[in-house]
Amino acid sequence: MATIELVNLTKRYRQGPHTITALDGVDLRIESGDFVSIVGRSGSGKTTLLDLTGLLLRPSSGTVLLDGAETAGLSDGRRADLRGRRLGFIFQEYNLLPALNVLENVTLACRYAGLDRREGRQRARQLLDLVGLAERLNHGPDQLSGGQQQRVAIARALVNRPALVLADEPTGAVDTQTADELLGLMRRLNREEGVTFVVVTHDLDLAGRTDRMVRLQDGVVVSDERLNAA
């Protein structure tokens, strides 16, 4: 597992004659085994922070350290390789491929992790069993509920045994009961499997059940609180 450290991280965008600062000198350290929520109003920089941590964006200044190794200066190819092998992503809209069944959607991610086909299918089956979908392997995404689709997305995020899973509003498209079940699943994976989670959310009830809540405001960390999560 890995430690992720953001050092004086800044991200600016040009918008016509103006410069927009999405993040402004953020320092944040995420230890292996953490379960962290990132909260803040719309436009506070939450998703930008997640994208920089996941090596999807390059910072304007500062760096992201993975186990102490600087990543900002790496080539696009090397950054893509790190994403495929060491990071997992969960999105609000699931992003499952409609032409593939459940097992195929999860197995597809194995290509980026360097797993061979047989090993990848075995790992995918184990994870789908773990998230309660062992009986749905041959179903298409359109045959699943929103909560079931997100469970597939969670299995897909874990198939490469990532050092860190980054989740962008993972419960935003489901009802309250399903959101509670999904959070419980992620909590169990964190505690029993040692998976490190960073979850961006607008839901303060959900954030309050993580181990640590980081609050952003106008691109700046204004609080970083350890919680007594349930």
Side-chain angles (χ1 to χ4, degrees):
M1 304 304 285
T3 297
I4 307 294
E5 189 171 5
L6 315 182
V7 181
N8 197 26
L9 204 63
T10 298
K11 183 64 178 178
R12 300 184 181 92
Y13 298 95
R14 293 290 297 175
Q15 192 173 78
H18 305 291
T19 299
I20 307 299
T21 300
L23 287 182
D24 191 9
V26 168
D27 292 306
L28 184 64
R29 184 180 176 91
I30 300 162
E31 301 288 350
S32 176
D34 267 351
F35 195 109
V36 183
S37 56
I38 309 291
V39 302
R41 293 182 177 180
S42 178
S44 62
K46 303 187 301 297
T47 297
T48 300
L49 177 63
L50 203 72
D51 288 346
L52 287 165
T53 304
L55 310 183
L56 295 168
L57 293 177
R58 291 183 183 272
S60 301
S61 61
T63 193
V64 177
L65 302 174
L66 179 59
D67 278 341
E70 186 268 354
T71 63
L74 296 177
S75 68
D76 290 345
R78 179 59 180 144
R79 287 162 64 86
D81 182 65
L82 283 174
R83 284 197 302 273
R85 294 177 181 274
R86 308 210 61 191
L87 302 177
F89 297 89
I90 304 170
F91 304 99
Q92 179 176 341
E93 298 301 329
Y94 323 132
N95 291 344
L96 302 180
L97 296 178
L100 302 182
N101 65 30
V102 165
L103 181 60
E104 290 166 340
N105 263 284
V106 176
T107 305
L108 184 65
C110 297
R111 296 181 185 178
Y112 305 104
L115 300 177
D116 65 38
R117 183 180 179 85
R118 182 175 179 180
E119 181 184 0
R121 287 180 70 86
Q122 181 179 5
R123 171 74 173 158
R125 287 177 180 274
Q126 290 172 344
L127 287 168
L128 288 165
D129 182 43
L130 187 63
V131 302
L133 291 175
E135 304 301 318
R136 298 276 185 161
L137 301 185
N138 296 315
H139 287 66
D142 62 347
Q143 296 174 292
L144 305 178
S145 68
Q148 289 171 331
Q149 289 187 61
Q150 194 61 293
R151 287 172 179 266
V152 177
I154 291 171
R156 181 184 59 193
L158 296 174
V159 77
N160 61 341
R161 295 182 173 87
L164 173 68
V165 173
L166 302 164
D168 192 1
E169 299 285 5
T171 61
V174 296
D175 60 52
T176 301
Q177 180 179 342
T178 302
D180 186 67
E181 292 171 356
L182 290 170
L183 177 63
L185 173 60
M186 288 188 284
R187 283 250 51 139
R188 182 162 62 88
L189 291 166
N190 170 252
R191 289 171 172 165
E192 297 179 9
E193 304 289 325
V195 179
T196 306
F197 282 94
V198 176
V199 181
V200 161
T201 183
H202 67 278
D203 185 342
L204 293 181
D205 289 334
L206 183 154
R209 293 174 57 191
T210 63
D211 293 330
R212 180 179 166 198
M213 182 165 59
V214 176
R215 188 181 298 272
L216 285 179
Q217 182 176 314
D218 298 328
V220 176
V221 174
V222 294
S223 66
D224 184 349
E225 181 183 4
R226 281 281 173 186
L227 307 174
N228 295 316

